[in-house]
Amino acid sequence: MNVLSPRTLVMKFGGTSVGTPDAMAQTAEIIHRQRTLTPRLVVVTSALSGVTDILLSSATAAAHGDTTTYNQAVQTLRARHEAIIKSLIPDRSRQEEVKAEITLLILDFANLCQAISVLGEATPRALDAVASLGERMAVRLLAAVVDSAGTPAQYLEANRLIITDDHFQAAHPDFAATQIAARASLNPILDQGTVPIITGFIGATPQGVTTTLGRGGSDYTAAILGAVLPADEVWIWTDVDGVMTADPRIVPEARTIEELTYREVSELAYAGAKVLHPKTIRPVIEAGIGLRVLNTFNPEHPGTRLVAEKATPNGNVVKSVTAIRGLKLITVEGRGMLDVPGVAARTFSAIASTGTSVSLISQASSEQAICFAVPASSAEKVIAAIENEFYREIAGKDIDRVWATGEVVIVTVVGEGMRSTPGIAGKVFGALGERQINVIAIAQGSSEVSISFVLKAEDIRAAVQTLHERVISQ
Ligand code: ADP
Ligand code: ASP
Ligand code: MG
């Protein structure tokens, strides 16, 4: 358990930390203990594990005319939430109260799915309304559990606190408006010693329309609230002992990294390490707030501490290896490309017009090809947009073709010391070469704390395990 006791602290609990009666009891215990040390304690929670997936897949199925999936989901959602009510809220009338509130939200869910099935379309706005229900159920439950156990707690929905634009499914917060709204709602609750239990993941436009911050966005909620309050620290409670040398689901021997710089953790998060949402880091750096990643199921473990700078890098130069799945590499190539003005700029504005984000770019030094990675599901529309942009050059044979590979992954190694240590790339390629893993493309992060390379999808496990063994664990 952490002996430190910041005065104002935001603690965020992920889906697995609230997903079962045992997990939620453990979370309530952590909140209870921390409240005795921290006078101003703010809690952010995700939906119960798997619930957001259930909500979104039901809505998508409904858009295709499938009404069975959401009707089954109603049963599952009810059972999952009621199991927790029954085992963790002792008072009968309180149980009934919370049950009634959850039932209303499940009814909203069924009604929204019904409307989606009639329209035959699930708009991003409708999907956000559906997805928000998971966190809205979770806060009611957790607040009642914590409060019943004797720590005064009150739930709050973040659509009253986090003001965003209307970029549904990946909304951007307006920090100035959020600061005013969040302080106005939270300070009176904190001043009276109550713990606010707030929905992660969701916000609302100034008009009050519900938005979400993107999948995994509850971490970001904690960082936003930490920055605007401001808090002294933000602690992310999850189901592993902090940020590790690799995803322990791929590398069982992965170890906790005690201390990582913000730069390192940013690179890791953007490169696919799910343990922290990539947008979490910037608000805390800018507000000068401490950030930790801790394990709900092993709360005595010190986890990972994020720091601005590390005076002398000690230990391994390469700290962690991570991967992003489900991508395709698109190549725009042609011998006449040198003569085409603004080819890169036009390529990227064509990609941007499809709303797709690019994860890796490499240009051949001969300037005869540009190559970049996009989510596999977007490859087709990106190719169409680029072909459309360059139809003249394609007809004139300055550009020969625009094509996509089969599915690929990007594997990234991260570590601050890499910039001053020669030979890391060689070591990485040597290790992959020995395992006969073919590298399709490579890119070095601009901050020089990472190297990424593109591999065939089926090589992911072998590559991550080999690099962990050969480049990190030595
Ligand atoms: P939460 O629901 O608490 O937000 P997530 O599932 O989003 O949790 O993130 C935690 C998971 O991230 C871990 O269970 C682990 O499998 C995965 N993960 C991926 N890369 C790493 C890494 N480098 N260190 C720790 N966990 C990682
Ligand atoms: N519940 C949301 C999701 O599954 C947000 C989060 O868990 O951080 O994406
Ligand atoms: Mg997460």
Side-chain angles (χ1 to χ4, degrees):
M1 190 66 184
N2 299 279
V3 283
L4 289 170
S5 46
R7 216 183 103 67
T8 306
L9 171 64
V10 178
M11 300 207 297
K12 174 261 170 177
F13 293 89
T16 38
S17 302
V18 292
T20 61
D22 284 351
M24 197 178 279
Q26 176 71 15
T27 289
E29 174 61 23
I30 291 171
I31 295 170
H32 175 69
R33 275 203 260 171
Q34 194 59 44
R35 176 64 189 81
T36 60
L37 302 168
T38 294
R40 292 163 67 84
L41 180 62
V42 174
V43 169
V44 172
T45 184
S46 293
L48 278 55
S49 50
V51 162
T52 312
D53 288 338
I54 295 175
L55 296 168
L56 286 172
S57 58
S58 303
T60 312
H64 293 104
D66 165 3
T67 53
T68 318
T69 305
Y70 81 76
N71 280 309
Q72 280 167 352
V74 163
Q75 307 306 325
T76 313
L77 294 173
R78 180 165 293 154
R80 292 272 311 271
H81 291 87
E82 285 183 6
I84 295 181
I85 295 178
K86 236 167 121 185
S87 57
L88 299 182
I89 303 176
D91 181 65
R92 274 311 266 278
S93 69
R94 189 96 196 242
Q95 277 191 4
E96 291 309 318
E97 222 173 85
V98 180
K99 211 153 125 186
E101 290 198 41
I102 304 255
T103 304
L104 275 181
L105 292 173
I106 294 177
L107 198 64
D108 276 354
F109 163 68
N111 288 337
L112 281 165
C113 286
Q114 153 78 11
I116 287 170
S117 80
V118 171
L119 292 170
E121 185 192 17
T123 60
R125 177 177 169 154
L127 288 173
D128 274 357
V130 172
S132 73
L133 291 164
E135 272 68 12
R136 294 172 61 202
M137 292 190 272
V139 283
R140 286 163 168 80
L141 218 52
L142 183 58
V145 169
V146 170
D147 199 72
S148 303
T151 301
Q154 179 186 330
Y155 77 79
L156 275 139
E157 300 197 339
N159 20 0
R160 291 176 36 219
L161 312 182
I162 294 187
I163 314 300
T164 70
D165 62 10
D166 63 357
H167 195 281
F168 295 103
Q169 298 193 290
H172 305 287
D174 172 341
F175 277 86
T178 299
Q179 179 159 56
I180 295 168
R183 285 185 179 177
S185 289
L186 294 178
N187 280 333
I189 299 174
L190 292 170
D191 289 345
Q192 77 191 34
T194 300
V195 179
I197 310 258
I198 305 166
T199 51
F201 184 47
I202 71 181
T205 66
Q207 292 74 34
V209 181
T210 299
T211 55
T212 67
L213 305 174
R215 292 305 307 270
S218 296
D219 300 336
Y220 190 26
T221 304
I224 297 167
L225 293 176
V228 300
L229 270 172
D232 302 307
E233 300 216 0
V234 173
W235 294 356
I236 305 290
W237 291 90
T238 183
D239 57 0
V240 286
D241 290 336
V243 182
M244 306 183 79
T245 48
D247 184 344
R249 287 183 215 184
I250 299 183
V251 181
E253 314 80 59
R255 300 177 311 272
T256 299
I257 308 167
E258 244 171 74
E259 208 173 83
L260 268 178
T261 66
Y262 287 122
R263 229 182 337 243
E264 289 170 327
V265 83
S266 281
E267 294 278 338
L268 269 178
Y270 277 103
K274 201 186 161 209
V275 62
L276 261 191
H277 189 282
K279 289 186 182 165
T280 312
I281 296 122
R282 195 162 155 202
V284 297
I285 299 182
E286 286 177 356
I289 292 172
L291 181 65
R292 282 168 183 270
V293 180
L294 297 156
N295 189 350
T296 302
F297 306 97
N298 189 13
E300 311 300 327
H301 194 288
T304 300
R305 199 154 49 93
L306 286 319
V307 294
E309 293 293 338
K310 208 157 177 206
T312 42
N314 52 10
N316 294 313
V317 170
V318 181
K319 299 256 186 66
S320 189
V321 52
T322 184
I324 305 180
R325 296 180 153 85
L327 302 168
K328 283 190 173 178
L329 204 59
I330 295 182
T331 304
V332 182
E333 67 183 19
R335 266 156 300 160
M337 270 176 49
L338 259 179
D339 304 323
V340 178
V343 67
R346 285 168 62 195
T347 302
F348 291 107
S349 65
I351 302 168
S353 72
T354 67
T356 303
S357 64
V358 172
S359 22
L360 176 143
I361 304 164
S362 86
Q363 178 156 25
S365 54
S366 62
E367 289 190 34
Q368 287 177 358
I370 299 175
C371 155
F372 51 87
V374 295
S377 55
S378 308
E380 218 169 282
K381 68 178 178 196
V382 167
I383 290 177
I386 294 173
E387 285 177 343
N388 188 38
E389 170 66 33
F390 290 109
Y391 74 95
R392 272 207 197 92
E393 288 81 359
I394 292 170
K397 304 262 187 266
D398 284 330
I399 289 179
D400 296 332
R401 60 178 188 146
V402 184
W403 59 284
T405 57
E407 212 162 297
V408 297
V409 292
I410 296 181
V411 174
T412 303
V413 292
V414 175
E416 284 271 6
M418 278 165 49
R419 72 176 79 212
S420 51
T421 312
I424 298 292
K427 209 165 161 188
V428 168
F429 287 114
L432 294 175
E434 273 171 40
R435 286 288 295 268
Q436 318 225 297
I437 296 169
N438 184 32
V439 176
I440 305 169
I442 164 167
Q444 176 146 16
S446 55
S447 60
E448 290 182 38
V449 304
S450 69
I451 305 174
S452 298
F453 30 93
V454 180
L455 308 173
K456 279 196 274 173
E458 59 265 33
D459 288 334
I460 184 169
R461 287 193 95 76
V464 171
Q465 285 167 353
T466 303
L467 293 176
H468 190 265
E469 190 185 310
R470 298 285 307 280
V471 184
I472 295 172
S473 289
Q474 288 182 344

